[in-house]
Amino acid sequence: MSDFFEKVANLIEQARKYVGRTADLTMCVTYFEVGRMIVEEEQSGAERAKYGQGLIKELSNRLTERFGRGFSLSNLKNARKFFLLYIPRINETLVISQRKSQLLTDQFELEQKSQLLAGFFKVSWTHYVVLIRVKNEEERRFYEIESINQQWTVDELKRQYNSSLYERLALSRNKDEVKRLSMDGQILKKPRDMLKNPLVLEFLGLEEKNEYSETDLETAIISKLQKFLLEMGKGFLFEARQKRFTFNEKSFFVDLILYNRILQCYVIIDLKTEEIKHQDLGQIQMYVNYFDRYVKTEKENPTVGILLCKEKDDNIVELTLPENANIYASEYNLYLPDKTLLQQKLAQWVAEFEEAQELIKTVDDADIE
């Protein structure tokens, strides 16, 4: 009976997911179509600019009168923007001109258009309402991919955007890997891929003050463990806090032990409420060595150490650690970062990289000549 119950329950769960997915897709395609029709109506006739100012408002009044909620002035403006932002990418993919023409006609049935667009619209309309507010196309694409892959709720999408996840990940990577974020989202292939700088821990609810202890920070993290693991990134599992190990008759305590199932390795986190010193790096190096030699199995990858600190000096980190060290330092913020400043920093960072690449190309071309 138990096996039979599970089979029936699984069928119902799959059906509910299908119905929910179908409803989300239908709503997205409907608003996409409404946006298309608004744009085409605005573009017809010599007085389209003047006419367009009142078109959406009048349409909203009539649709609301007939259908009720869902067709407010702001929602219809969102539908128009949704169409304008996504039609270029859709047209690039639909290389067969016949399919393009089918998509952009009133005669083509909504059900057929839904089948055509099923590969494009994979989150809910409410997700897209958030996404169309992201001005940068590459950043918007990144958040869309992550919403799909990580099954973010709308609230989680808003939180990740407000915490500048895209900028923080981009600034934590090699400059030639930034473009990949907008194409593939966050992919974990090596330990550095799991890092973002800074980590944003505003959900801990710790008030800003001059001093608080590492125990305060650790306790706050444990109380908000689920959110902390989400902020850390993909594939993290919690194993222990204040993990004790004894070596040479001396006891040591590691603040937090995580495991990353994607990279298949232990991740040791040491918390520091001040700027890190070279002694802190030496200490976590010892922790990592112990786990590599006495804890991890042969099938698991080398242990990663992360110093989570209030402030870091990259020069101290580089000078203290050997080049092949699997240890990283990342700052944390107890409040949301200034998104504009991070965007400016990222733009400057990428511009410098592109300028350097162009200089290298010029030198190479000169050598060839």
Side-chain angles (χ1 to χ4, degrees):
M1 183 64 183
S2 178
D3 290 343
F4 175 68
F5 168 77
E6 288 299 328
K7 289 181 181 180
V8 175
N10 288 336
L11 173 65
I12 294 173
E13 287 176 356
Q14 292 175 15
R16 286 182 174 179
K17 288 180 181 178
Y18 176 77
V19 170
R21 169 68 189 128
T22 303
D24 285 340
L25 175 60
T26 302
M27 184 173 292
C28 289
V29 174
T30 300
Y31 280 116
F32 179 84
E33 278 293 280
V34 170
R36 176 186 68 81
M37 297 171 74
I38 290 173
V39 170
E40 290 181 353
E41 186 68 16
E42 286 177 337
Q43 292 175 344
S44 63
E47 298 184 357
R48 60 183 180 273
K50 180 178 178 181
Y51 176 59
Q53 293 177 5
L55 172 66
I56 299 181
K57 184 175 182 181
E58 178 64 21
L59 181 63
S60 172
N61 291 336
R62 293 193 179 191
L63 291 177
T64 300
E65 183 178 353
R66 177 176 294 190
F67 298 107
R69 298 175 56 185
F71 300 98
S72 65
L73 180 61
S74 62
N75 223 16
L76 292 185
K77 287 182 177 178
N78 285 334
R80 180 182 182 278
K81 188 174 183 180
F82 182 50
F83 172 78
L84 291 173
L85 286 176
Y86 278 85
I87 190 59
R89 199 174 87 202
I90 291 172
N91 279 340
E92 286 179 7
T93 307
L94 298 178
V95 293
I96 304 175
S97 59
Q98 182 181 4
R99 298 182 77 193
K100 286 186 183 180
S101 63
Q102 289 173 333
L103 181 63
L104 298 176
T105 57
D106 291 332
Q107 289 75 26
F108 202 43
E109 295 294 332
L110 185 63
E111 183 178 353
Q112 293 173 295
K113 289 189 177 183
S114 295
Q115 294 174 357
L116 198 59
L117 294 171
F120 294 96
F121 304 145
K122 296 184 178 180
V123 290
S124 72
W125 167 246
T126 313
H127 282 82
Y128 283 112
V129 170
V130 177
L131 289 168
I132 61 177
R133 296 172 187 165
V134 182
K135 295 180 181 179
N136 182 285
E137 184 177 356
E138 292 183 350
E139 183 180 0
R140 185 189 320 118
R141 180 61 179 154
F142 165 79
Y143 284 114
E144 184 179 359
I145 292 172
E146 289 299 296
S147 294
I148 296 167
N149 292 343
Q150 302 305 308
Q151 298 184 337
W152 283 347
T153 64
V154 174
D155 285 343
E156 183 62 21
L157 168 60
K158 289 179 180 178
R159 191 259 164 190
Q160 297 290 6
Y161 173 73
N162 290 332
S163 71
S164 304
L165 175 63
Y166 174 76
E167 290 87 355
R168 291 186 290 130
L169 282 175
L171 289 168
S172 300
R173 276 157 174 67
N174 294 330
K175 297 177 184 179
D176 57 355
E177 294 182 352
V178 172
K179 190 76 174 178
R180 184 169 60 82
L181 285 174
S182 64
M183 299 172 60
D184 304 320
Q186 185 185 11
I187 303 297
L188 297 187
K189 292 184 177 180
K190 53 186 182 297
R192 181 170 287 277
D193 291 339
M194 73 173 69
L195 297 179
K196 56 183 74 118
N197 191 42
L199 261 70
V200 178
L201 307 179
E202 92 291 347
F203 52 82
L204 298 181
L206 289 173
E207 62 182 70
E208 289 188 60
K209 57 183 181 180
N210 293 331
E211 293 183 4
Y212 53 86
S213 70
E214 291 163 7
T215 301
D216 292 336
L217 181 59
E218 179 187 325
T219 301
I221 287 174
I222 294 300
S223 68
K224 302 284 186 180
L225 186 58
Q226 182 179 11
K227 290 186 176 181
F228 177 72
L229 292 179
L230 287 173
E231 171 60 13
M232 284 296 297
K234 297 182 177 181
F236 281 96
L237 306 172
F238 174 75
E239 177 162 311
R241 67 180 295 195
Q242 287 299 311
K243 178 75 172 181
R244 175 181 175 177
F245 69 89
T246 302
F247 184 74
N248 198 25
E249 299 183 354
K250 293 182 180 179
S251 294
F252 302 91
F253 296 86
V254 184
D255 289 337
L256 296 172
I257 305 295
L258 306 182
Y259 191 86
N260 191 284
R261 61 179 180 79
I262 299 175
L263 295 176
Q264 294 188 329
C265 65
Y266 284 100
V267 180
I268 293 175
I269 296 181
D270 202 17
L271 304 173
K272 300 297 175 185
T273 56
E274 299 177 350
E275 182 179 1
I276 58 171
K277 303 177 179 62
H278 68 275
Q279 295 95 325
D280 301 324
L281 294 163
Q283 176 176 275
I284 197 169
Q285 177 74 75
M286 180 185 66
Y287 294 166
V288 167
N289 290 343
Y290 179 85
F291 266 72
D292 278 343
R293 296 171 188 176
Y294 301 107
V295 179
K296 87 173 188 68
T297 65
E298 292 182 0
K299 294 182 179 180
E300 292 173 324
N301 289 313
T303 304
V304 177
I306 297 178
L307 264 171
L308 196 55
C309 55
K310 187 66 177 176
E311 188 178 351
K312 68 168 181 169
D313 185 329
D314 289 329
N315 294 323
I316 293 294
V317 175
E318 183 178 350
L319 187 62
T320 304
L321 296 174
E323 292 184 0
N324 61 346
N326 224 12
I327 294 172
Y328 307 91
S330 180
E331 296 177 348
Y332 64 84
N333 283 346
L334 295 179
Y335 51 90
L336 293 177
D338 188 318
K339 191 173 184 68
T340 302
L341 288 178
L342 279 179
Q343 288 174 335
Q344 292 173 351
K345 184 176 180 181
L346 178 59
Q348 178 183 357
W349 194 62
V350 172
E352 291 173 353
F353 173 71
E354 292 177 346
E355 183 179 343
Q357 293 294 101
E358 186 63 30
L359 180 61
I360 293 172
K361 183 177 183 299
T362 302
V363 172
D364 290 343
D365 291 343
D367 290 341
I368 292 174
E369 294 175 4

